[in-house]
Amino acid sequence: MFIIAQGCFRLNKLHLEWCCGISDGGLAAVLRGCSELTDLSLEFCGKVTGEAFSGLACKIEKLDLVACDAVKNEGLLAAATACSRLKELRVTSNQKGASLTKGVEGAAKFCKGLEALCIHACGLKDETLRSFATSCPLLSSASLSCEPAVTDGGLAAFLAGLPKLESLSLQHMDGLSGVPRVGASKRLKKLRLGYWWNAPDLFLRGLSEETTLEELRLECCPHLTDATVDSIFAGCRSLKLLVLLDNKLITAESIRAYLRHGKKSTLQILECPGATKENVPDDLRTVLQDVFP
């Protein structure tokens, strides 16, 4: 890291993965020596705490802190303060019960130009989402997973305050009782719902009212039925792609719905035991290549 800092003054992209020997000292040297750095990834760099950012003003626009489990609130706040130009941020934790709420809220406060956000198992709360809705109006892509303290109210505030949001992924969000409702006044084009164990089929059917959706991915939704898939095809007038992954109740009837609505969008079925290449009726075999990639 010290050699890079001394010899790569114009470096603008640095991606490091599983570099367990890198410490804050080495990172600090690079941040000071490579002042043109705009893209920094530190995936699984377990010794980095984030303190290397303290007192600096960086040009970094893309920061990846995936599984940097030594990073705590103080280090994340230091990174957010130093990287006020940040456009993309990824923060994930492998630590059970991790709480990076203050650090993530710092990113909302200091990085007002943020456009893409990915957060996993960081102990977020409803107030954290409200802080992004208030401070980051340019946010267009968000991925949230394993954040059980987030409730319907927090998500509703998040969606209401982000007029430019086009892509949303929600996985393992056990605190949510219903599917997100966006409405035609918003710009949401891509929605991914994963591991919605408790979402009733009736709630999922509400997705059919989201007329702006172009891409919808439903993964591990055990109560999803063919009837709801039919409603989605009928109601989501802008839909171009529907992906069904590991949904136990889905059968060949979803393929019939796809054909019934004129194949206006693409349907992909993956790992749904009730609808496989082997058990599809003969009259549907003409679309096997389309539906089972």
Side-chain angles (χ1 to χ4, degrees):
M1 294 291 278
F2 285 104
I3 292 172
I4 291 172
Q6 293 170 1
C8 304
F9 306 115
R10 297 183 180 179
L11 187 69
N12 55 45
K13 180 178 179 179
L14 179 61
H15 283 203
L16 304 169
E17 298 180 8
W18 296 95
C19 296
C20 300
I22 293 175
S23 68
D24 289 298
L27 178 59
V30 166
L31 293 174
R32 289 182 170 85
C34 306
S35 58
E36 300 300 312
L37 197 64
T38 59
D39 184 343
L40 177 62
S41 177
L42 299 168
E43 290 192 37
F44 292 93
C45 293
K47 290 185 179 179
V48 171
T49 71
E51 292 300 323
F53 290 94
S54 296
L56 299 181
C58 304
K59 296 181 179 180
I60 293 174
E61 297 180 356
K62 184 177 180 180
L63 180 60
D64 193 332
L65 298 174
V66 168
C68 293
D69 291 333
V71 173
K72 306 302 179 187
N73 281 303
E74 296 77 12
L76 193 51
L77 278 169
T81 305
C83 304
S84 59
R85 301 186 186 186
L86 209 60
K87 294 181 179 180
E88 298 183 36
L89 175 64
R90 294 180 70 199
V91 183
T92 76
S93 175
N94 290 328
Q95 300 294 313
K96 186 176 181 179
S99 178
L100 296 173
T101 304
K102 295 299 181 183
V104 174
E105 288 176 0
K109 178 180 179 180
F110 296 109
C111 308
K112 297 183 182 299
L114 205 62
E115 297 175 3
L117 177 69
C118 178
I119 303 292
H120 169 80
C122 291
L124 301 194
K125 300 177 181 178
D126 286 346
E127 190 57 39
T128 314
L129 294 190
R130 291 189 179 97
S131 65
F132 281 102
T134 302
S135 302
C136 302
L138 301 181
L139 200 63
S140 63
S141 176
S143 176
L144 306 174
S145 57
C146 296
E147 299 294 350
V150 171
T151 70
D152 297 332
L155 181 61
F158 183 71
L159 295 174
L162 298 172
K164 294 184 178 296
L165 192 68
E166 294 187 353
S167 178
L168 177 65
S169 175
L170 300 168
Q171 298 190 76
H172 277 295
M173 301 292 285
D174 296 339
L176 300 178
S177 62
V179 299
R181 300 305 304 275
V182 182
S185 62
K186 302 300 180 181
R187 300 176 55 182
L188 192 68
K189 295 179 179 180
K190 297 181 180 181
L191 178 61
R192 178 186 183 187
L193 302 180
Y195 304 96
W196 283 60
W197 311 115
N198 301 317
D201 187 51
L202 186 61
F203 284 175
L204 294 169
R205 199 164 300 180
L207 292 168
S208 63
E209 300 178 23
E210 302 299 343
T211 57
T212 65
L213 282 182
E214 295 181 4
E215 183 176 311
L216 176 60
R217 296 174 180 267
L218 299 175
E219 306 170 5
C220 296
C221 298
H223 303 292
L224 178 69
T225 66
D226 297 318
T228 288
V229 172
D230 186 47
S231 295
I232 288 171
F233 277 127
C236 297
R237 299 190 296 270
S238 303
L239 196 65
K240 297 178 180 179
L241 174 64
L242 174 62
V243 178
L244 305 176
L245 171 64
D246 193 15
N247 297 297
K248 306 300 184 184
L249 299 183
I250 293 302
T251 72
E253 289 304 310
S254 285
I255 304 177
R256 294 191 193 281
Y258 164 63
L259 294 174
R260 190 161 50 248
H261 292 285
K263 297 169 60 175
K264 296 178 181 179
S265 55
T266 299
L267 171 66
Q268 293 184 359
I269 298 179
L270 304 165
E271 300 178 28
C272 295
T276 66
K277 286 184 179 180
E278 292 74 25
N279 66 18
V280 166
D282 291 340
D283 62 319
L284 298 178
R285 291 193 172 276
T286 56
V287 295
L288 284 183
Q289 296 301 321
D290 298 330
V291 174
F292 299 101

